[in-house]
Amino acid sequence: MDFSEIVCPHTGVSAQEAAARALVARDHLGGEVTAAPDAPLPARRKALIEDVRVLTGLLAAELSARHDDPAARVHASRLAHDAHRATLLSDEFAFHAGLAMRALDRAGHPD
């Protein structure tokens, strides 16, 4: 599935973009993923949605709180906030962003 084609109509952010920002938060800011692979499908879906929302929110908060070189951070901060807002506006979009996050993670860490 091409997650770059799934776009939030309100923010213009694709599910793949939101997923990439969530992974940045997880890998560089110490965010955690709570979705357990052995949980029932509805619980995994809910946890995946919550994970991507928390991670994109963590990145948005981190970028807006930084005071070093604000000119360079304005664009990144706006993009992070748009990604987080997109995940909050729709469970379906957040779920697709979560699936994209898993796909990107697997592509970056092949077993």
Side-chain angles (χ1 to χ4, degrees):
M1 176 174 239
D2 186 359
F3 294 104
S4 65
E5 293 182 5
I6 301 169
V7 177
C8 172
H10 304 287
T11 64
V13 173
S14 74
Q16 185 151 341
E17 291 168 330
R21 285 171 179 80
L23 286 173
V24 166
R26 186 199 69 190
D27 294 346
H28 299 287
L29 301 176
E32 295 185 24
V33 176
T34 61
D38 57 343
L41 187 58
R44 283 185 297 175
R45 177 183 167 93
K46 184 177 178 180
L48 191 58
I49 289 169
E50 188 63 23
D51 286 346
V52 79
R53 285 176 172 162
V54 167
L55 290 170
T56 56
L58 176 64
L59 182 62
E62 175 68 19
L63 289 174
S64 65
R66 292 210 172 175
H67 298 291
D68 58 325
D69 194 11
R73 300 253 179 237
V74 169
H75 184 65
S77 179
R78 185 183 55 78
L79 292 175
H81 279 280
D82 286 349
H84 181 57
R85 184 170 166 250
T87 67
L88 293 175
L89 290 171
S90 165
D91 284 353
E92 195 64 30
F93 180 86
F95 179 65
H96 282 104
L99 292 176
M101 183 175 68
R102 282 190 177 167
L104 287 172
D105 197 31
R106 286 186 190 126
H109 301 96
D111 292 337

